[in-house]
Structures are given as C-alpha cells and as structure tokens.
Amino acid sequence: MKTGEIRLASLTEANRASVASLELAPDQMDFVASNAESLDEAKSDDDARPRVVMAGDRVVGFLMYEAPQDDDEARIYRFMIDRKWQGKGYGKAALREVLDEIGSLGHISHVSICYEPHNEAARRLYRAAGFVEQGLDEDGEMIADLVLPADDR
C-alpha cells in the first residue's frame, strides 16, 4: 500500500470497533491514552474531532484533535498507528492529511501537539513536519508547535 492512499475518515459506528482494537507495541503503551478512552472522550467533548486513519479500506490508526472556532490554535492530542502498520510511512502521511484538514478550516494559524519527551519516534515525526519544541507542560509532556503557512489559511 502506498502512503498516498492514506486518508482520514470520520469515526462511525461501523468503524468504532476497528479503532478500539488497534494496538501499540508494548513499549509504546505509556505514550498515548487508549483508543477506548479516546472514543469515550470524543462522545462527551463537543470540540473533539476524531479521525480514523485509513489505508485503502483498512483501519490502520486513529487521531483526534480540536480546533475551536473561537481560537486560532488547533491541538492534536491523540495520534497513533497500529503496531502492525508502523514503519511504512503511514504516520507521516496521516500527519500531512490532518495538517491539511486543519489548514483548510480557515481560522487556524498554528497547531500544537504534546508527546512524551522520551518518545523518540514521535519527536522525529513531528520535527520532520516542522513542529518546534516549546518545552514541557505541567504534566511533563513535550509541547511542540507548528505555524501554518499563510496560504493554508
């Protein structure tokens, strides 16, 4: 499967079970909240925008972000690719897709993301996309920020 075939889909009842069954590698479990928790959160948080990462017709990952209409900042706060599909460029392609989606909203000028500071794979992925580390938040997670190009807004 080519990374160009990666797309984001809305969360539906039809794909909810597939998202819930996605798994991280054992050494990544502490890096991201479980998808079950994220799915519960998406039900109760009106600002949450859950997206299913699709490779063709296969569910390979999940992400969630918020982009409140009264704010110029979007926050990606869940992002994972299933362990079976890691290392194939799907994470990079999915990040590109979500950044395009966020940019197309029209009111967002920058995007932030948090991750565990010892999660080197995440650090490399976000740095390659142009995110700049800002420092640790109160929970000890690294905050990184990306200023969107003016033509994306």
Side-chain angles (χ1 to χ4, degrees):
M1 174 102 12
K2 297 182 183 109
T3 60
E5 297 176 33
I6 296 295
R7 64 182 172 80
L8 301 182
S10 297
L11 180 66
T12 65
E13 285 307 314
N15 61 26
R16 183 177 294 276
S18 295
V19 169
S21 69
L22 295 172
E23 294 180 344
L24 291 169
D27 62 331
Q28 298 172 322
M29 296 292 201
D30 293 335
F31 292 157
V32 182
S34 76
N35 286 346
E37 289 175 68
S38 296
L39 294 174
D40 285 345
E41 186 175 338
K43 285 183 193 175
S44 62
D45 183 352
D46 292 337
D47 287 329
R49 298 177 187 226
R51 297 292 183 263
V52 181
V53 180
M54 304 290 299
D57 61 358
R58 185 183 311 261
V59 174
V60 298
F62 175 74
L63 63 87
M64 195 158 61
Y65 72 94
E66 63 182 12
Q69 196 61 43
D70 62 349
D71 196 347
D72 70 341
E73 177 185 9
R75 286 166 287 284
I76 301 171
Y77 56 99
R78 298 291 192 278
F79 188 62
M80 65 84 69
I81 300 295
D82 185 88
R83 63 196 249 172
K84 293 185 301 247
W85 304 105
Q86 291 178 11
K88 300 179 183 313
Y90 293 172
K92 183 177 181 180
L95 184 58
R96 195 170 39 247
E97 289 293 315
V98 74
L99 292 174
D100 286 349
E101 180 175 310
I102 290 169
S104 74
L105 297 174
H107 69 284
I108 301 298
S109 63
H110 64 110
V111 180
S112 67
I113 194 159
C114 290
Y115 52 90
E116 292 293 329
H118 53 280
N119 185 345
E120 285 302 319
R123 173 176 275 135
R124 285 190 304 274
L125 174 66
Y126 304 139
R127 186 176 289 152
F131 282 85
V132 177
E133 291 183 343
Q134 305 295 308
L136 301 178
D137 68 9
E138 65 276 357
D139 296 324
E141 290 191 336
M142 181 58 69
I143 301 170
D145 193 70
L146 173 70
V147 176
L148 294 177
D151 60 342
D152 283 355
R153 294 179 249 150

